[in-house]
Amino acid sequence: VNSEVEQSKSRSKTNKSAFQFDSVASQFKFSLNQLMTTIKSTEPNYVRCIRPNYQKKPNCFEWERTLHQLRCGGVLESIRIYRAGYPTRRPYGPFFERYKILLLPK
């Protein structure tokens, strides 16, 4: 019995609890790191479907509805960023082919 008490005391001195709890912040950080790893390892492509009208009829186009969908889907903001000249992700090969002239000695 004494040896069990001594082991319990020595264990409490080395680590405060036999159980280790993660804080909410450390769980969030771990989850965020996993998400960023997944995002960096993939090349996502998005297809945005726009419904031009509620009735799903051909040749019937509701401008306000379509514009709302484009705004909510982030399409208009993407176009603004692209027009402003901010860099977009491009594969290395086509990028190198386009700008390799800049590397040539003069």
Side-chain angles (χ1 to χ4, degrees), residues 72-87:
C72 290
V75 176
L76 296 179
E77 189 62 28
S78 296
I79 292 169
R80 281 190 200 103
I81 290 169
Y82 183 75
R83 283 185 178 173
Y86 289 100

Side-chain angles (χ1 to χ4, degrees), residues 11 16 19 32 37 43 56 59 67 98:
R11 184 175 40 199
K16 295 180 182 179
F19 301 102
L32 184 61
T37 302
E43 293 184 26
K56 298 183 185 177
N59 301 322
L67 185 59
R98 182 172 181 175

Side-chain angles (χ1 to χ4, degrees), residues 6-105:
E6 288 175 15
Q7 287 177 354
S8 174
K9 287 181 182 178
S10 66
R11 184 175 40 199
S12 66
K13 289 178 184 176
T14 57
N15 53 348
K16 295 180 182 179
S17 173
F19 301 102
Q20 293 184 356
F21 295 101
D22 291 335
S23 68
V24 174
S26 64
Q27 290 175 0
F28 175 77
K29 186 176 178 181
F30 177 74
S31 177
L32 184 61
N33 284 333
Q34 281 185 320
L35 176 63
M36 292 305 295
T37 302
T38 302
I39 289 173
K40 288 178 182 178
S41 67
T42 60
E43 293 184 26
N45 294 307
Y46 300 98
V47 175
R48 292 180 175 96
C49 298
I50 306 296
R51 284 188 5 191
N53 59 59
Y54 286 109
Q55 298 81 22
K56 298 183 185 177
K57 293 182 182 177
N59 301 322
C60 180
F61 196 81
E62 297 173 8
W63 290 100
E64 289 181 18
R65 175 180 168 72
T66 305
L67 185 59
H68 178 71
Q69 290 178 70
L70 291 172
R71 282 187 182 135
C72 290
V75 176
L76 296 179
E77 189 62 28
S78 296
I79 292 169
R80 281 190 200 103
I81 290 169
Y82 183 75
R83 283 185 178 173
Y86 289 100
T88 57
R89 292 185 181 177
R90 294 185 181 185
Y92 178 76
F95 177 83
F96 179 76
E97 286 300 316
R98 182 172 181 175
Y99 296 106
K100 71 181 176 184
I101 191 73
L102 299 173
L103 296 175
L104 296 176

